[in-house]
Amino acid sequence: MIPKACKRLAEVDFPIAEVSRHAAREKSIRHGHPSTLHLWWARRPLASSRAVLLALLWPDPCDPLCPVEFKAEARKRLGTVGCNPGTTDTDLRVALLRFIADFANWDNAAKPIYLEVSRALVKAAHGDEAPLVVDPFAGGGSIPLEALRVGCDAFASDLNPVACLILKVMLEDIPRHGPKLAAELRRVGGEIKKAAEVELADLYPQDPDGATPIAYLWARTVRCESPNCGAEIPLVRSFWLSKKASRRRALRPVVVRPPKGSPEPPRVDFEIFEPKSEKEVSPGTVSRAKAACPCCQAVLPPERVRAQLAAHRGGADVFFDAKSRRTGGARLLAVVTLEPGVTGRQYRLPTARDYAAVHAAQQRVANLLADWEESGRQGLCPIPDEPLPPIGTLGFRVQRYGMLEWGDLFTARQKGVLVQLAARVRERYAARQGAVGELLAIVLDRCADYWSSLCSWHLTGEKVNHTYGRQALPMIWDEVPSAGV
Ligand SMILES: [Zn+2]
């Protein structure tokens, strides 16, 4: 055991430059990295957590109180990983710091030789009883995960239930069940997907020609308030659909004016075309919450844009008349499809069928809410009705557009899908499929991140951007409810 008065390595030196380099590189590593398990803010790099833990757990060999057994074990082990322990205590200190720097590299984090050396030296310093690392606010779990890696026991907790779920899955379920758990998740996930494809078929119909819609590109709309106009303005930041070099597509707005004397306002139709240059694509209609009318060029100030959208809780939903015809609200601009036998994404204009599916989704959600009311509001509301945090908190700014509850962040169709999938995940919990149930909940969270009305379309990647692209929740002007169930 290390005497209390003996200095730890971190008190005398630390390879900060190299560990920082590994920590920075780790941010761009996705495959196999625990950060991909679930979104978490302020996630600490594993590299620095691992390095700091070892530097705190190991004694400084130059301290006269440093246990001789630790120094002997360190001299024996460090040579096996290319860290020459030399002959003096200072040499040994340098070698220990070298090891800490090398082990901070993500590429070495799971190599058996590094794990062995780190665990053997922790044991040499602390005896047979593994040291306990306690992290009461563990968040994404970097510190307890690294504590387990180097042979400590770990205790982790957090006030936030999302953090607790991440910690439970990462520190308990995955180490306990190993690759079997991944296989089981694929199996159960496959079953849920199959069932969902049947249960949600009416919300995501195939095209008559056999193509499969994979994303719907929407715009919120406001009414032009200039006298003698009254046109519907689709709020679009850019009319580009795809900037991929091999498939450049954009929308061309076409103003259609009613015959003289007609009470109808002018309207904007769209065509899809292949632009040869940036100049051919019209500028968007919205910038910094100001909306420009494509029909009369009048500008609607931000406070009016906000007021109009706030009247409809953010305006992400479509309004229908009694005959299920669209009368306003969100407007479908284009549908991205995959066609059998054709590589790449295709873009088409929306049809009445597309709106019919949205109408069906609205009815499904209305029925869910009606059932809940009828039950005397038993249990939680099926659509999350808790208020969003106060405006400005954690970068939440969408409240200014009338999105006040969590449910307001989703369109009716997204609500319908997420509620359905949540019910299936809950069934698995009830069937005591503990670890798999927890992983399914994490998958559902990821679905919610990709299927909100605040997702946008990635123009070169031709894919949906997730909601939390930034650590904030600002208004997004081209929402993309995804169809990829
Ligand atoms: Zn106008």
Side-chain angles (χ1 to χ4, degrees):
M1 287 296 286
I2 314 167
K4 265 215 161 93
C6 173
K7 281 203 163 104
R8 304 293 173 106
L9 207 45
E11 292 178 87
V12 292
D13 204 351
F14 187 75
I16 196 157
E18 277 167 282
V19 172
S20 299
R21 196 161 47 76
H22 290 307
R25 177 180 161 244
E26 198 186 298
K27 283 197 164 186
S28 57
I29 293 170
R30 305 285 298 160
H31 185 75
H33 195 279
S35 64
T36 55
L37 189 63
H38 197 290
L39 193 68
W40 187 253
W41 282 265
R43 194 180 273 283
R44 304 290 167 233
L46 300 183
S48 51
S49 304
R50 182 157 61 244
V52 168
L53 272 170
L54 288 180
L56 289 172
L57 285 161
W58 289 345
D60 172 25
C62 297
D63 191 302
L65 295 172
C66 181
V68 284
E69 317 84 77
F70 175 78
K71 290 203 265 190
E73 187 71 15
R75 286 194 189 286
K76 192 175 98 191
R77 297 272 184 178
L78 287 172
T80 62
V81 275
C83 303
N84 179 13
T87 49
T88 66
D89 288 343
T90 314
D91 291 342
L92 188 57
R93 180 201 277 174
V94 171
L96 284 166
L97 293 168
R98 174 81 260 142
F99 176 84
I100 288 176
D102 290 348
F103 193 26
N105 187 341
W106 170 250
D107 301 335
N108 293 336
K111 282 192 184 157
I113 182 74
Y114 280 88
L115 297 175
E116 263 169 44
V117 172
S118 65
R119 288 171 190 173
L121 295 191
V122 167
K123 200 169 169 187
H126 294 270
D128 282 339
E129 199 176 329
L132 174 66
V133 174
V134 177
D135 188 352
F137 302 104
S142 297
I143 292 169
L145 178 71
E146 292 310 319
L148 294 177
R149 192 191 304 273
V150 300
C152 301
D153 284 337
F155 174 86
S157 68
D158 203 288
L159 283 172
N160 188 310
V162 175
C164 287
L165 177 67
I166 298 172
L167 295 170
K168 175 107 182 19
V169 170
M170 187 170 73
L171 305 174
E172 272 184 30
D173 297 345
I174 294 176
R176 185 171 295 161
H177 303 285
K180 270 195 304 196
L181 186 58
E184 185 64 359
L185 176 68
R186 282 194 193 96
R187 191 185 67 76
V188 178
E191 283 171 18
I192 293 181
K193 179 171 182 275
K194 220 167 159 189
E197 279 167 357
V198 176
E199 290 163 348
L200 301 167
D202 60 326
L203 305 193
Y204 293 101
Q206 295 271 109
D207 283 0
D209 64 358
T212 307
I214 55 160
Y216 298 91
L217 310 185
W218 292 85
R220 292 174 163 86
T221 67
V222 289
R223 282 273 161 207
C224 174
E225 293 179 352
S226 107
N228 309 323
C229 182
E232 180 183 86
I233 311 173
L235 300 171
V236 178
R237 206 163 42 89
S238 158
F239 283 111
W240 279 97
L241 295 173
S242 167
K243 283 193 173 180
K244 200 172 218 157
S246 58
R247 191 168 36 251
R248 293 157 74 88
R249 297 282 185 282
L251 286 166
R252 182 188 287 128
V254 181
V255 175
V256 181
R257 299 195 188 277
K260 263 214 152 62
S262 159
E264 291 288 307
R267 67 167 202 273
V268 187
D269 282 354
F270 289 105
E271 292 166 2
I272 294 174
F273 73 111
E274 282 186 55
K276 298 278 171 297
S277 71
E278 194 77 39
K279 272 187 267 167
E280 288 178 47
V281 182
S282 312
T285 58
V286 64
S287 162
R288 295 183 173 270
K290 275 189 295 203
C293 175
C295 302
C296 73
Q297 273 69 49
V299 172
L300 201 59
E303 55 277 16
R304 289 304 307 147
V305 173
R306 286 194 197 111
Q308 286 201 31
L309 293 177
H312 305 290
R313 312 203 76 141
D317 267 316
V318 187
F319 313 147
F320 293 100
D321 65 12
K323 288 185 177 158
S324 330
R325 285 174 305 209
R326 175 182 180 271
T327 56
R331 178 167 174 183
L332 192 47
L333 301 177
V335 181
V336 190
T337 67
L338 290 179
E339 284 175 25
V342 182
T343 18
R345 280 118 170 80
Q346 308 296 315
Y347 295 82
R348 67 164 172 80
L349 292 174
T351 65
R353 273 169 60 87
D354 296 315
Y355 282 111
V358 172
H359 188 249
Q362 287 188 4
Q363 285 181 318
R364 192 185 272 235
V365 171
N367 292 342
L368 275 173
L369 289 171
D371 288 349
W372 182 64
E373 291 290 347
E374 220 166 86
S375 75
R377 298 191 166 209
Q378 263 185 21
L380 294 172
C381 179
I383 307 298
D385 61 349
E386 297 87 350
L388 290 179
I391 191 161
T393 319
L394 303 169
F396 276 59
R397 297 197 289 276
V398 294
Q399 297 92 327
R400 291 189 293 178
Y401 297 90
M403 294 182 218
L404 304 174
E405 299 174 355
W406 288 98
D408 296 338
L409 304 179
F410 304 91
T411 68
R413 179 154 58 182
Q414 291 166 337
K415 287 174 193 164
V417 174
L418 289 169
V419 167
Q420 186 80 24
L421 290 178
R424 291 287 163 267
V425 171
R426 225 173 276 129
E427 279 170 13
R428 301 290 164 164
Y429 265 127
R432 298 187 190 279
Q433 287 181 315
V436 171
E438 279 150 12
L439 276 172
L440 288 171
I442 280 181
V443 174
L444 184 69
D445 278 7
R446 180 168 295 200
C447 293
D449 189 21
Y450 277 90
W451 303 339
S452 87
S453 76
L454 297 166
C455 292
S456 58
W457 185 242
H458 194 297
L459 293 176
T460 44
E462 294 186 290
K463 60 186 181 187
V464 176
N465 291 315
H466 70 130
T467 307
Y468 287 110
R470 284 185 273 169
Q471 295 195 357
L473 208 56
M475 190 58 157
I476 297 291
W477 295 112
D478 354 52
E479 51 170 307
V480 189
S482 157
V485 176

